[in-house]
Structures are given as C-alpha cells and as structure tokens.
Amino acid sequence: MTDDVLLLRAKSEEVLERRFWGATVDRTPAKSIQLSDGAFRRKVDVVPSNWFDTATYQRTLEETQRGVEIVNKYTREHITNYPFIYIAEITAKARQTNEGARMGIRLAKNVKNDADVEIALSSYDIGSLIYHCPNHYITHLVARDLMILSGVERWFDELSRDHTRATSLMTPDGTRRILNDVAKWEGLVKLSGELTSLAQAVERELASPYDFTLPDRDMLRKRLNDNSIPLAPEFIGGGIRF
C-alpha cells in the first residue's frame, strides 16, 4: 500500500507540473504536493492517500467512521486521519451556534491568510481550535455579526495566555493534539495578536470621532457585542420584513 500511494504521488507530481505550468509545484513537503502562485490565490495541498476502512465502518457503513491514510514520503510512515468525523463534529458545532462556528472559522482563516507574518496553523488546526470555543462566545445573532469577531478574539486571547490548556486540546476526531509542536503554539500566539488588532481597528471605526480613549479588552468586546448592523428591509406582498 505504501508503494502504491508513493507511486500515485510521483505520477501526480508529474501531471501537476505539466498541467499547471504557470504555478509553483512544490514536491518537498513530506505529506502533500503544494501548488501556489500562477492562478492560485492561496496555497493548495494535493494529498495522495488511500482509504482506511475501520472496523466500525465495516460493521455499520457509516461514512463518518471511514478514514484515510497518507504517507510521509521520507519516512514511509502511514498517518491515519478521519476527515468525516471532523466534518460531522464541525457541522454539529455550527448547529449549536446558529452557524457562528463556521463564521468564526472563516474569519480566523482569512485573518491568518492576510497577516504579514507567517502563521504555522493549517485550516484544519484553526477549525479544531474553534471547535473547542465555548458556544456562547460565537453564537450568531441576527444583525450582531461583530459578536463573532469578539468571541473568536476572546477565545484565542484566552488560549494564548494558557499554554497548558491550549496544548491539551485535541482535534475533533481525537487522533492528536492540535498544537503538537512549538511552531503551532507560536502560530496561535501570532494569530491571537492579529485578531486583537482587527478587533481594535473595527472598534475604532465604530467609536465616535471625538472618542480618543483606548478601551481595555472587556470594553472592546462589549462594544463589538453591542453593535447592531442595520438590516435592509425586504418588501414582500406590500409589507416589510426585516
């Protein structure tokens, strides 16, 4: 199986370099092929892998219990992931928070991508961190979108101040710790700082032009939480619905 996956990877590298000749095809990562530049606005990972049918999947045929195995091209080590469990858990979290969890994940990913510093957290890592965020931090309310920014900033700030707690958090599929190396911990701290900077900038936009006071963290979050975004009315059957 290892040979099959590595052969698939070698063929994929050849095809990707030929088809995406205007992009950078990076063969060096141990577990994936990375595409960037050219027509790609963001880095894209191509991950050759094989199915891993767990005993539970074979017994129940529940898709969430089906895993995938990827191979480290240098060590030939098999790494098992359970992406469908992850998707199911994130979906459940989104339901519990009125889609606030997904909004928080997108927000944090965009902040990471727009940062001027390198942040060593994958989209999977960010989603896993938001998965553990208390629901009441990121529950979405109508016209209160800035509560998501407030809640995500608060959660990452709390984690950045508590190394033991942050590094104990597990991925939703339970296979590993989210921050399983020093670079990811440092990435969390950097992303926390970026989120706080964004929250402060947004709060300044909301404040009176004559208000020159810099609020503390609690007041900053309160102002974001209390702000309502005007809704455009929909005219339906002669009536108005917001």
Side-chain angles (χ1 to χ4, degrees):
M1 184 63 72
T2 299
D3 290 336
D4 288 344
V5 174
L6 292 178
L7 177 61
L8 174 63
R9 172 167 180 152
K11 290 182 177 179
S12 299
E13 290 172 348
E14 178 186 343
V15 171
L16 290 170
E17 286 188 333
R18 186 170 69 249
R19 296 297 298 273
F20 295 98
W21 50 267
T24 299
V25 180
D26 186 357
R27 300 183 177 209
T28 59
K31 295 173 284 189
S32 67
I33 309 162
Q34 288 188 348
L35 305 178
S36 60
D37 303 325
F40 295 97
R41 297 179 62 188
R42 303 291 186 207
K43 285 184 178 179
V44 175
D45 289 328
V46 178
V47 188
S49 58
N50 61 270
W51 289 112
F52 177 69
D53 292 344
T54 65
T56 303
Y57 172 74
Q58 294 178 59
R59 186 175 66 253
T60 65
L61 297 182
E62 293 182 9
E63 285 294 329
T64 56
Q65 300 301 318
R66 199 176 197 194
V68 296
E69 287 184 326
I70 58 180
V71 177
N72 183 312
K73 68 178 289 186
Y74 302 113
T75 66
R76 297 174 63 87
E77 173 193 8
H78 271 268
I79 301 110
T80 304
N81 286 311
Y82 299 93
F84 303 111
I85 293 178
Y86 173 86
I87 292 170
E89 292 295 331
I90 294 297
T91 299
K93 183 76 171 182
R95 284 197 299 266
Q96 295 163 11
T97 58
N98 195 26
E99 293 300 317
R102 283 201 177 99
M103 294 173 68
I105 292 170
R106 288 194 296 270
L107 169 67
K109 286 166 59 176
N110 284 329
V111 170
K112 177 226 169 181
N113 290 332
D114 291 339
D116 293 329
V117 295
E118 187 70 24
I119 296 176
L121 291 174
S122 67
S123 295
Y124 187 92
D125 296 329
I126 290 172
S128 297
L129 290 167
I130 297 292
Y131 170 75
H132 289 283
C133 181
N135 286 351
H136 67 279
Y137 284 19
I138 53 173
T139 295
H140 180 232
L141 302 179
V142 175
R144 295 295 182 89
D145 291 8
L146 292 181
M147 291 180 68
I148 305 299
L149 171 58
S150 171
V152 172
E153 187 277 332
R154 177 181 177 183
W155 176 235
F156 275 77
D157 180 56
E158 289 178 3
L159 292 180
S160 71
R161 298 171 186 272
D162 191 340
H163 180 272
T164 300
R165 181 186 185 188
T167 54
S168 71
L169 298 177
M170 300 293 291
T171 56
D173 64 4
T175 58
R176 66 168 174 85
R177 297 186 188 278
I178 303 169
L179 306 178
N180 56 1
D181 59 41
V182 174
K184 289 187 179 183
W185 161 252
E186 293 174 348
L188 166 68
V189 174
K190 291 177 184 177
L191 183 53
S192 174
E194 294 289 331
L195 286 163
T196 297
S197 295
L198 175 61
Q200 290 171 335
V202 172
E203 188 276 332
R204 287 294 85 194
E205 289 288 331
L206 299 174
S208 165
Y210 304 105
D211 182 359
F212 300 104
T213 61
L214 294 177
D216 59 23
R217 292 292 177 87
D218 291 337
M219 181 56 67
L220 169 69
R221 293 163 188 156
K222 183 177 186 304
R223 288 180 176 177
L224 293 176
N225 289 337
D226 291 346
N227 183 264
S228 296
I229 299 174
L231 297 179
E234 298 177 6
F235 295 87
I236 301 177
I240 299 177
R241 186 179 69 185
F242 287 88

